DNA sequence: GCGATCACGTT
DNA sequence: GTACGTGATCGCG
């Protein structure tokens, strides 16, 4: 057989009507894309099927899954030691392992398919997760372009700055020590300088930013330490870290994991592109280093307040729904209802508090959590929470019934049927049980938002191809999607993106989408 | 080399 | 307060 003939036969196999099966297919799809194959027709990814059945699965190693989910008595041979692979075994061993993997996956298909059907996870699997494999594989394959000179410049600046602050700190401390070592820092602060310690950690006294913040007035070194931490974090994690993973075409290619989080969200690693700084001026400049290729631009679209909108939809709370329909600033609207004043009379402080409560709500916050956050007493926090629930009573009902149902069943379910077991709910430990309750409240909200966002990703990728557009998705950050577009295609891409994201799922509140474009990620914000 | 610990970036 | 991933240090083997 000629090579071309083999390629054609392989292509036909990948496109077969009945679809292909594999374990962790995204990686394979990515390899196929590098070899110029079209994305395959997927029937099942056993890894994803297991994830849907239990998003807390400890390991996705095939032999253990076969034992756990397979119905046949089935043992596979000794796994080859990694080190031997290249030495003597050669390609035969890799082929043998691939064959074993395929065999394991094939044994799993039927029982997994049945379990997926039994738990009503068919739609989630077939309409969302499986199509998403291709979208993510293409995103990973493309990667996002970075401005190498800019990134290097940032790294170098930070390096110099860290060095300067380091000298000052050693001067003020009166000794040389490793500032990166919390252990050494503790000795310097609490023993040698005699400062008063605050919070404790498992092994000693805390030196985290929150604690240091409170010690600001006790010694001039504290402010420099805080600065050092900020700059050193940026230098190491983002400066050095990102430079180390720049690949072909000056692009960074992260891996987006589909089977990691308990909630249905994606995670990103090598590098993690989900936590690129944005909060501080010093940090957010890194977003200027993420760019579009020559004559193209980045288009950034994100859902406005999607999780709070999910709460409004799930609870059916008329007040909250009304607040969103008004189309005004949501925190001002909620503050007006919570504090019983007209929106125009809402003070800055009131808006800020309402905002805190709204965010807290998403995380299943209780009174003491809010107190911590706002730096107020427990009583006052309870009273704010009370007025909030007074203004939005159905939200309170929803939270309570969510926890109740989760306790009865032992798991939560999103609107789309995504399940998550929460064993913490039956813990004998009260702290752990509270954690379980927060997890239960958060799971349905964050999970629904994740489901909606995944639908949008799948639909958007599909629409771009259908319209034969050159624009493509290059990055995803939980409720935000970044496209790289030829400049002349931008306005069309904006239209398409807003339409697709806005209509991903019909809720009792509108799905609002913010959109903008620019040469850099920062500019398109 | 590996895991635990601490700290910290995002949503 | 949810959910993650990474860098650095340090003690263990």
């Amino acid at each position: 057989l000629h090579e071309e003939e083999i390629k054609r036969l392989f292509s036909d196999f990948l496109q077969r009507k009945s679809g292909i099966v594999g374990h962790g297919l995204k990686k394979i799809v990515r390899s196929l894309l590098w070899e110029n194959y079209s994305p395959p027709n997927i029937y099942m990814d056993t890894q994803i099927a297991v994830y849907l059945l239990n998003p807390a699965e400890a390991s996705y190693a095939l032999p253990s899954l076969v034992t756990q989910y397979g119905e046949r008595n089935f043992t596979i041979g000794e796994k080859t030691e990694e080190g031997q692979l290249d030495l003597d075994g050669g390609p035969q061993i890799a082929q043998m392992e691939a064959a074993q993997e395929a065999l394991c996956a094939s044994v799993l298909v039927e029982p997994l398919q049945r379990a997926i059907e039994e738990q009503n996870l068919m739609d989630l699997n077939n309409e969302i997760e499986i199509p998403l494999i291709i979208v993510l594989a293409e995103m990973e394959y493309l990667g996002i372009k970075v401005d190498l000179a800019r990134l290097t410049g940032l790294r170098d600046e930070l390096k110099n700055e860290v060095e300067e602050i380091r000298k000052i700190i050693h001067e003020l401390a009166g000794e040389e020590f490793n500032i990166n070592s919390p252990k050494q820092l503790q000795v310097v602060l609490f023993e040698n300088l005699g400062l008063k310690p605050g919070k404790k950690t498992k092994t000693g006294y805390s030196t985290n930013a929150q604690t240091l913040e409170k010690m600001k007035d006790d010694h001039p070194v504290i402010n420099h330490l805080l600065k050092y931490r900020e700059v050193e974090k940026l230098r190491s994690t983002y400066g050095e870290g990102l430079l180390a993973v720049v690949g072909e075409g000056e692009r960074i290619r992260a891996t987006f994991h589909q089977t990691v989080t308990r909630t249905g969200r994606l995670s990103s690693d090598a590098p993690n592109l989900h936590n690129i700084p944005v909060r501080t001026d010093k940090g957010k400049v890194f977003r200027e280093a993420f760019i579009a290729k020559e004559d193209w631009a980045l288009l950034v679209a994100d859902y406005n307040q999607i999780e709070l909108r999910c709460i409004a939809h799930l609870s059916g709370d008329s007040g909250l729904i009304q607040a969103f329909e008004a189309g005004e600033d949501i925190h001002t609207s909620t503050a007006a209802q919570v504090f019983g004043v007209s929106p125009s009379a809402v003070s800055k402080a009131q808006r800020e508090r309402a905002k805190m409560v709204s965010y807290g709500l998403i995380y299943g916050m209780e009174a003491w959590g809010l107190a911590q956050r706002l730096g107020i007493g427990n009583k006052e926090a309870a009273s704010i929470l009370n007025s909030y629930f007074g203004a939005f009573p159905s939200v309170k009902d929803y939270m309570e019934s969510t926890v109740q149902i989760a306790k009865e069943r032992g798991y939560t379910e999103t609107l789309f049927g995504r399940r998550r077991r929460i064993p913490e709910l039956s813990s004998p430990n009260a702290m752990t049980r509270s954690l379980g309750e927060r997890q239960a409240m958060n799971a349905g909200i964050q999970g629904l938002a994740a489901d909606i966002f995944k639908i949008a990703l799948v639909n958007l990728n599909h629409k771009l191809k259908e319209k034969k557009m050159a624009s493509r998705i290059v990055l995803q950050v939980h409720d935000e999607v970044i496209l790289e577009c030829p400049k002349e295609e931008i306005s069309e891409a904006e239209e398409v993106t807003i339409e697709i994201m806005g209509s991903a799922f019909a809720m009792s509140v509108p799905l609002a989408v913010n959109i903008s474009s620019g040469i850099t990620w920062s500019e398109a914000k």
Side-chain angles (χ1 to χ4, degrees):
Chain A
L1 288 177
H2 292 306
E3 192 174 339
E4 279 167 28
E5 208 170 348
I6 295 172
K7 266 199 123 174
R8 191 180 51 77
L9 288 169
F10 188 43
S11 273
D12 289 347
F13 166 73
L14 294 171
Q15 303 300 332
R16 71 213 276 250
K17 257 271 166 36
S18 55
I20 64 167
V21 166
H23 189 77
L25 280 170
K26 176 159 60 60
K27 191 175 177 185
I28 292 171
V29 175
R30 206 200 305 133
S31 308
L32 290 172
L33 292 173
W34 280 105
E35 300 295 328
N36 274 316
Y37 285 94
S38 301
N41 179 26
I42 300 173
Y43 173 73
M44 174 183 276
D45 184 317
T46 48
Q47 185 177 330
I48 288 173
V50 168
Y51 172 70
L52 286 174
L53 293 170
N54 176 22
E57 192 68 61
S59 155
Y60 291 101
L62 273 170
S64 69
L65 294 181
V66 169
T67 309
Q68 195 181 342
Y69 293 93
E71 288 163 342
R72 279 182 250 174
N73 237 339
F74 188 87
T75 48
I76 77 166
E78 294 275 298
K79 198 192 179 309
T80 321
E81 291 297 322
E82 297 283 339
Q84 294 177 1
L85 228 146
D86 297 335
L87 298 178
D88 37 27
Q92 284 100 342
I93 291 192
Q95 285 173 14
M96 187 65 81
E97 286 183 347
Q100 287 175 345
E101 213 175 288
L103 189 54
C104 287
S106 73
V107 164
L108 287 169
V109 172
E110 274 188 44
L112 289 178
Q113 184 67 22
R114 206 160 37 239
I116 290 275
E117 279 171 31
E118 273 167 16
Q119 300 193 19
N120 284 318
L121 292 164
M122 290 290 286
D123 286 351
L124 218 39
N125 190 41
N126 297 334
E127 311 301 323
I128 300 181
E129 300 295 355
I130 287 181
L132 188 63
I133 297 170
I134 307 290
V135 181
L136 297 181
E138 290 180 350
M139 264 171 60
E140 292 178 358
Y141 164 75
L142 283 168
I144 184 165
K145 189 168 172 68
V146 288
D147 181 339
L148 208 47
R150 189 76 217 275
L151 201 49
T152 309
L154 284 175
R155 192 268 316 265
D156 292 342
E157 275 174 34
L158 291 165
K159 202 194 238 170
N160 292 333
E161 200 172 340
V162 163
E163 191 51 30
E164 280 171 27
I165 305 174
R166 188 185 65 84
K167 283 182 193 150
I168 297 174
I169 290 174
H170 287 161
E171 192 105 343
L172 288 170
E175 60 181 308
E176 299 231 340
F177 66 102
N178 188 341
I179 308 170
N180 286 335
S181 164
K183 206 170 167 235
Q184 292 183 35
L185 182 57
Q186 278 173 58
V187 173
V188 169
L189 292 181
F190 306 123
E191 292 177 26
N192 302 0
L193 292 181
L195 294 173
K196 233 180 83 181
K199 232 177 31 182
K200 285 216 240 181
T201 66
K202 213 181 275 186
T203 59
Y205 292 114
S206 173
T207 66
N208 69 19
Q210 209 194 339
T211 308
L212 292 181
E213 199 71 39
K214 289 180 190 148
M215 304 166 46
K216 263 184 172 176
D217 298 330
D218 299 350
H219 196 281
V221 80
I222 302 295
N223 269 322
H224 295 284
L225 281 172
L226 286 165
K227 196 72 195 166
Y228 177 92
R229 282 267 177 77
E230 181 189 10
V231 178
E232 169 66 3
K233 174 81 179 180
L234 295 174
R235 181 200 66 82
S236 62
T237 304
Y238 302 103
E240 302 289 358
L242 290 176
L243 277 169
V245 291
V246 176
E248 170 70 31
E250 300 191 358
R251 299 181 80 93
I252 288 181
R253 295 174 180 80
T255 302
F256 297 97
H257 295 279
Q258 214 175 341
T259 58
V260 165
T261 73
R262 312 305 205 235
T263 54
R265 271 190 175 180
L266 301 173
S267 79
S268 159
D269 77 358
N272 181 359
L273 293 181
H274 284 166
N275 68 344
I276 302 301
V278 68
R279 205 170 34 80
T280 65
D281 289 337
K282 237 184 154 43
K284 69 179 169 199
V285 292
F286 275 97
R287 296 188 174 218
E288 293 173 11
F290 290 83
I291 60 175
K293 66 180 189 180
E294 182 95 33
D295 289 326
W296 289 45
L298 294 181
L299 187 160
V300 178
D302 70 287
Y303 280 120
N304 175 286
Q305 297 291 341
I306 189 168
E307 282 165 329
L308 204 49
R309 287 170 197 268
C310 287
I311 292 178
H313 178 77
L314 291 167
S315 67
D317 189 282
S318 55
L320 196 51
I321 292 173
Q322 197 187 311
F324 274 117
E325 278 172 347
E328 306 293 329
D329 175 79
I330 188 63
H331 301 306
T332 304
S333 299
T334 51
Q337 296 193 55
V338 170
F339 299 108
V341 297
S342 75
S344 57
V346 169
S347 72
K348 255 203 149 124
Q350 286 175 322
R351 182 184 180 278
E352 202 51 34
R353 290 192 163 195
K355 183 176 166 183
M356 285 292 186
V357 180
S358 291
Y359 277 111
L361 214 55
I362 294 166
Y363 303 136
M365 178 187 56
E366 294 134 346
W368 70 264
L370 180 63
Q372 188 96 1
R373 200 70 179 158
L374 293 179
I376 56 177
N378 224 319
K379 261 184 147 175
E380 198 187 346
S383 131
I384 293 177
L385 211 52
N386 248 331
S387 357
Y388 196 98
F389 283 140
F392 308 111
S394 297
V395 172
K396 185 178 194 202
D397 294 344
Y398 168 73
M399 294 294 177
E400 284 173 352
S401 72
T402 298
V403 170
Q404 185 56 37
I405 293 169
K407 278 186 173 165
E408 284 163 13
R409 299 184 184 170
Y411 63 88
T412 61
E413 226 180 77
T414 69
L415 203 52
F416 290 4
R418 186 185 297 279
R419 289 188 191 196
R420 172 184 177 182
R421 290 190 50 236
I422 304 188
E424 286 85 351
L425 284 172
S426 53
S427 163
N429 181 300
M431 285 251 290
T432 306
R433 271 201 313 280
S434 291
L435 172 64
E437 290 172 5
R438 291 196 297 275
Q439 290 171 335
M441 290 186 262
N442 174 256
I445 301 160
Q446 192 178 113
L448 174 57
D451 293 338
I452 292 171
F453 187 75
K454 284 178 171 177
I455 293 172
L457 278 183
V458 168
N459 291 350
L460 180 56
N461 202 50
H462 180 255
K463 180 62 91 180
L464 292 172
K465 287 185 181 182
E466 186 184 84
K467 298 192 72 162
K468 301 237 178 347
M469 293 174 70
S471 301
R472 59 260 181 103
I473 303 172
V474 291
L475 186 57
Q476 166 281 138
V477 192
H478 302 313
D479 62 358
E480 166 179 346
V481 61
I482 303 181
L483 283 71
E484 189 177 33
C485 316
K487 280 188 174 159
E488 62 276 12
E489 222 175 77
I490 286 201
S491 60
E492 187 183 6
E494 281 191 1
E495 270 177 47
V496 169
T497 303
I498 290 180
E499 160 62 21
I500 296 285
M501 287 179 74
S503 64
F505 179 60
M507 298 208 287
S508 48
V509 288
L511 270 178
V513 177
N514 307 320
I515 202 157
S516 61
S517 58
I519 301 301
T520 75
W521 188 2
S522 170
E523 200 185 322
K525 251 322 224 190

